[in-house]
Amino acid sequence: MFPIGRDAELALVADRLRDRRLVTVVGPGGIGKTTLARAAATATAGDYGEGVVHVDLTRIDTVDGLNESIATQLGYGSFAALLDAPGDRSILVLLDNCEHVVDAAAEAVELLLEACQMPTFLATSRTPLELPGETIVPLGPLALPPTGSIDAPSVRLFLERAADAGVVLEPSDAVAELCRQLDGVPLAIELAAARTSSLSPSEILQRLDADLGVLDRPRRRSVARHRSLSAAVDWSYELLGEPERRAFTRLSVVPGPFTASFAHAVAGDDATEMADTQDLLGALVAASMLVAEPPPASGPTTYRMLETLRTYGREQLAGAGLVEAVEARFVGHVAALIAGVVADGARGWAASALNDLLALYDSTAAALRWCLAHDEPDHAMLMGAALWGVIHQAHTEEIGDLAEQILLRWPDTTNPLLADVAATAATCRYMLGDDDSAIRLATEMLDAAERSPYAGATLRRAIAQAQRASGDAEAALECFAATRDAARTLGLAAMAIEAESARAQILADLSRIDDALSTIADARHAAEAADLELSTAWTCAIEGSILLRVDPVQATGVLEQALKASDAIGYHAGSDATRRALALASLLAGDLGAAAGHVSRLLEQLLSRGSTNELRTVFDVAAAILERAGRIEAGRDLAATALAMPVVSITASVGHELFPIDAEGGRLLTPRQAILLARTELGDLAHREDGPPADASHAADDRVGVLRRAGELWEVGFGGDIVTVKHTKGLDDLARLVREAGREVHCLELIGAGVDESGTGPQLDDTARRAYEARVRELQAEVDEADDANDRGRADRARLELDALVDQLTEALGLRGRARSTGSSAERARSAVTQRIRSTIRRLDQYHPRLARHLQASIRTGTFASYDPESPVRWQL
């Protein structure tokens, strides 16, 4: 939707996004921040290699889980994974509706800006985020028609929204005056225009004028646009029928988007049919009290409520004393949905059940927090138990924290699901690398598992996984057998098959190959007989990995079959395990290039999903490949890093590898460093045409780079391959950094400036600030005096000046009253240099991927930029 009357603001946001990494659209509720930001994101999407990602913070009500919600919406399993992954994604993140969690949102954005080099953030909020380098774009009301005129952006918006409601109107004095009464606030105008199907503009004006008069006195200390918006919402709400009002207020408790069936359960009555609820939703959309999102290719329409209206709806609920009752109903419905998903999906671990749990996660987390605050153990236990199905995909840290809170809150409950919650907590501990604590908790809860429908298997599974991760293979073998038996008793066919697959893997680790092959063959036959797609693909992957020890050729055929089956059903765990095994098969065959290619693809798959907690399965194989390629130092660094990471997969190496890795003398790298090193080294091997170097010295001799300018063209190359590309300023920067390898070059040197012009300093000094504040107090007193005297002309003139001063103070002062400085030349240079260097490297990736990967790993940008390669490179400049 293109924002009417916002051409200048849209151009300003688009311009700021070109050389700023954080732009915040600031304004009061209902002023159109989200509409403007979405339009700006659409207009500039082509400037970002990976486009735009919309992160909606209305999905959460508290700061709890904010970081995890941001990470999940960006496609990462946890916020830590988002910070660890290399920040080279050219992407625009639209962070919408920050105001109710502004401090937490600011902290998250600050961490991401520091950790990631490329993402740009476009935020919307009622107040600034107050971060260094933030650019504020204040948004005020739409332009009003001057006295005697009937043409203005606010009028055009009214007429367009009336047309959306099915009413074609011409500009008129009544419409113009109506927009003046509504102070040009877009949401207020849209709410009024939605009523033109039943009222004329003159009738709306009469009704609204009366309501504004009623509201003037108690709200006189608010600025005019706040009063007009409140009046419009009040008025629009009152015009709803009783069923629509009831549905609207009840739906205000739902965080994030919801479907019609969800709305029916939360807002419907016993006598209400589903068709009635759909009609109510349609009426609320028509009245602009709800927003309907277009449905995906397959799936139902979803609805959402603007934050301003959601706050209003909750206020109405609170006034009627119904908040607790409606929230309890919301929680009850979430619990019922969870129970249904678990019942349908537990036996076979259906992919649809997992997708349903993930889709419900925001509501589940909000409902679980409500249960913790309101002493509702039964629902809390159900949700905490069900979240066990999500932790291998996302939210591991947050789910672990919620499960631990449940255990602390109700340690002595007789609820049969207590042991299942303990299984969730223990599995999270294992996945976060705390194996001893996971074993201890799960063992302590085994007695309670006798009353549970699932924990007899899930607790033992957690113990076995942690035992295997800590290196106790014999104990893990026995415990996985107990897991299998318990799962069969409980009717959990998929879990029983997975436990048998784990036993087969451990038997192979212990060199009991015949037993391992017999065990996995039985498990695969059981999966096929039960028509369990995920289990069939998984057993096929494990069978292929075991066959590597006796028949690599046969193993490769089985693994290719497993990869095809896993990819066909979108089974990430199966695809990951298979690609790792295929890399080992290539390594056995001596094809280091193919091995490096498989591991490179596995690395990128994990990073694309944010699954950085599984990187051990990449680094251990990468270390073996690099060691055999003669890249001893890099291999040992990755080996040391891999061995320090948690084991979260049965296929990860724990001391019984086909190719033992040597970490002696290796450096412990950060995840980011290890990822960049693996990308560079594996990419180099994967693209070599003449095989790997015989030794490390040969590899060093072969590392020759070319960055030579020839007029408007450049010759660029690495390792013998040279291509020609067009000139960019980023190539000048790269040549300068390469020429001065190891030296930190200030961004002002690269941009061409000699000094750091520190901008204008604080936008308001202390003297000016005191003068502004004194004038604000004078104007507020004048507004109050004029209101008391019913002198609307004088009051409006004072309000106009007051609004202008408040807008200037908002732009000049931070959230806590700190003076805000204008951007310095250093900050502008840092943003510009970073953008053009990274953009150039991305362009080089299209023509010379090997060179691009080397520069990506070796170039550092920021206030100081530098070139620091892992190994020396001879450059022709």
Side-chain angles (χ1 to χ4, degrees), residues 446-684:
L446 278 176
D447 289 341
E450 294 179 0
R451 303 188 301 271
S452 160
Y454 310 111
T458 53
L459 284 172
R460 289 180 170 86
R461 179 180 183 270
I463 295 171
Q465 288 174 318
Q467 287 172 333
R468 198 253 178 186
S470 61
D472 193 347
E474 293 289 355
L477 191 63
E478 182 179 346
C479 196
F480 270 122
T483 303
R484 173 203 60 202
D485 295 341
R488 287 173 177 171
T489 300
L490 296 169
L492 305 175
M495 193 182 300
I497 292 169
E498 189 222 32
E500 272 296 85
S501 301
R503 289 186 69 251
Q505 181 68 59
I506 296 172
L507 287 167
D509 290 342
L510 296 175
S511 299
R512 296 165 57 181
I513 305 302
D514 289 341
D515 290 341
L517 289 173
S518 175
T519 300
I520 196 61
D522 290 343
R524 184 175 175 182
H525 176 74
E528 291 171 345
D531 196 23
L532 300 175
E533 286 185 318
L534 268 65
S535 298
T536 299
W538 181 249
T539 54
C540 190
I542 298 300
E543 182 177 6
S545 69
I546 295 171
L547 280 169
L548 286 173
R549 299 171 185 267
V550 292
D551 190 342
V553 175
Q554 182 184 359
T556 300
V558 174
L559 289 169
E560 289 174 349
Q561 180 184 349
L563 182 61
K564 182 178 180 180
S566 296
D567 287 347
I569 58 176
Y571 181 33
H572 297 314
S575 298
D576 295 344
T578 307
R579 287 204 181 279
R580 182 179 185 276
L582 284 169
L584 292 173
S586 297
L587 197 52
L588 284 169
D591 190 346
L592 300 189
H598 283 303
V599 178
S600 293
R601 285 190 289 275
L602 173 58
L603 173 61
E604 297 310 319
Q605 284 180 346
L606 293 176
L607 293 178
S608 70
R609 305 197 305 270
S611 302
T612 54
N613 62 333
E614 299 179 34
L615 286 176
R616 178 170 177 144
T617 60
V618 170
F619 297 151
D620 57 7
V621 181
I625 295 171
L626 295 179
E627 181 183 349
R628 280 148 187 81
R631 305 184 182 193
I632 306 300
E633 182 179 349
R636 288 178 176 176
D637 288 347
L638 288 181
T641 304
L643 294 176
M645 301 185 83
V647 175
V648 298
S649 169
I650 196 65
T651 62
S653 57
V654 289
H656 305 280
E657 301 82 14
L658 275 171
F659 296 92
I661 54 178
D662 182 6
E664 183 177 355
R667 298 175 299 156
L668 184 61
L669 305 177
T670 66
R672 176 190 298 274
Q673 292 170 330
I675 291 166
L676 292 174
L677 177 59
R679 270 180 168 168
T680 302
E681 297 292 343
L682 293 171
D684 188 26

Side-chain angles (χ1 to χ4, degrees), residues 65-72 74 76-85 104-105 107-113 121 395-397 610 612:
L66 178 138
N67 286 358
E68 298 303 315
S69 181
I70 291 176
T72 301
L74 287 174
Y76 286 81
S78 69
F79 194 71
L82 177 55
L83 294 179
D84 284 343
E107 291 175 7
V109 171
E110 185 171 29
L111 288 171
L112 290 169
L113 288 173
F121 286 86
H395 307 290
T396 306
E397 294 179 19
T612 54

Side-chain angles (χ1 to χ4, degrees), residues 25 119 189 269 422 451-452 464 521 532 584 705 739 742 787:
V25 180
I189 291 172
D269 291 323
R451 303 188 301 271
S452 160
L532 300 175
L584 292 173
R739 186 176 295 111
D787 280 341

Side-chain angles (χ1 to χ4, degrees), residues 168-382:
V168 178
L169 297 172
E170 297 294 330
S172 66
D173 290 337
V175 172
E177 181 58 27
L178 185 53
C179 292
R180 294 188 195 101
Q181 288 276 19
L182 296 174
D183 295 293
V185 178
L187 178 57
I189 291 172
E190 291 187 10
L191 290 170
R195 291 298 171 183
T196 54
S197 59
S198 57
L199 296 170
S200 70
S202 297
E203 291 172 321
I204 295 173
L205 180 62
Q206 293 171 4
R207 176 67 180 271
L208 188 58
D209 187 52
D211 285 346
L212 277 168
V214 170
L215 291 168
D216 258 353
R217 185 69 56 189
R219 297 177 183 265
R220 68 184 185 186
R221 294 192 182 275
S222 300
V223 294
R225 59 176 172 252
H226 291 167
R227 295 205 323 277
S228 60
L229 176 58
S230 181
V233 176
D234 276 336
W235 173 76
S236 191
Y237 175 74
E238 290 301 325
L239 286 181
L240 294 174
E242 179 57 32
E244 288 89 352
R245 286 200 297 269
R246 183 169 57 250
F248 170 75
T249 55
R250 290 178 179 179
L251 291 174
S252 68
V253 306
V254 182
F258 53 87
T259 63
S261 60
F262 199 109
H264 183 65
V266 174
D269 291 323
D270 292 339
T272 305
E273 299 292 335
M274 182 64 189
D276 298 328
T277 298
Q278 291 172 325
D279 289 343
L280 290 173
L281 294 173
L284 290 173
V285 170
S288 293
M289 303 296 275
L290 274 184
V291 176
E293 302 284 8
S298 62
T301 299
T302 58
Y303 302 85
R304 62 183 176 89
M305 192 177 292
L306 298 179
E307 187 63 26
T308 299
L309 297 175
R310 188 165 176 246
T311 300
Y312 179 90
R314 290 178 65 86
E315 288 174 353
Q316 300 304 308
L317 274 183
L322 295 175
V323 171
E324 293 289 320
V326 177
E327 286 182 337
R329 184 171 182 172
F330 161 72
V331 170
H333 178 58
V334 172
L337 287 176
I338 291 290
V341 171
V342 171
D344 292 339
R347 177 184 172 276
W349 286 0
S352 59
L354 172 60
N355 292 335
D356 289 343
L357 286 175
L358 288 169
L360 279 170
Y361 182 78
D362 290 322
S363 291
T364 304
L368 210 165
R369 292 190 182 96
W370 188 91
C371 292
L372 286 164
H374 291 80
D375 196 25
E376 287 286 344
D378 291 345
H379 287 332
M381 295 289 170
L382 172 63

Side-chain angles (χ1 to χ4, degrees), residues 22-217:
L22 173 59
V23 178
T24 306
V25 180
V26 175
I31 210 68
K33 300 183 294 295
T34 294
T35 301
L36 176 67
R38 289 187 172 186
T42 299
T44 60
D47 296 338
Y48 303 92
E50 297 193 30
V52 180
V53 175
H54 185 188
V55 177
D56 183 7
L57 294 186
T58 60
R59 289 171 175 260
I60 58 171
D61 286 324
T62 67
V63 297
D64 296 331
L66 178 138
N67 286 358
E68 298 303 315
S69 181
I70 291 176
T72 301
Q73 292 184 62
L74 287 174
Y76 286 81
S78 69
F79 194 71
L82 177 55
L83 294 179
D84 284 343
D88 58 355
R89 297 177 66 187
S90 174
I91 190 171
L92 176 63
V93 179
L94 173 51
L95 197 63
D96 203 8
N97 294 288
C98 297
E99 51 270 353
H100 62 303
V101 287
V102 66
D103 288 336
E107 291 175 7
V109 171
E110 185 171 29
L111 288 171
L112 290 169
L113 288 173
E114 290 176 354
C116 306
Q117 296 168 341
M118 289 305 294
T120 297
F121 286 86
L122 174 58
T124 70
S125 179
R126 297 185 190 180
T127 55
L129 301 187
E130 278 199 315
L131 293 177
E134 180 182 22
T135 295
I136 308 299
V137 178
L139 195 62
L142 287 172
L144 297 171
T147 303
S149 173
I150 57 174
D151 182 36
S154 54
V155 172
R156 292 197 292 275
L157 176 63
F158 184 95
L159 298 177
E160 183 169 306
R161 295 297 173 266
D164 291 342
V167 179
V168 178
L169 297 172
E170 297 294 330
S172 66
D173 290 337
V175 172
E177 181 58 27
L178 185 53
C179 292
R180 294 188 195 101
Q181 288 276 19
L182 296 174
D183 295 293
V185 178
L187 178 57
I189 291 172
E190 291 187 10
L191 290 170
R195 291 298 171 183
T196 54
S197 59
S198 57
L199 296 170
S200 70
S202 297
E203 291 172 321
I204 295 173
L205 180 62
Q206 293 171 4
R207 176 67 180 271
L208 188 58
D209 187 52
D211 285 346
L212 277 168
V214 170
L215 291 168
D216 258 353
R217 185 69 56 189

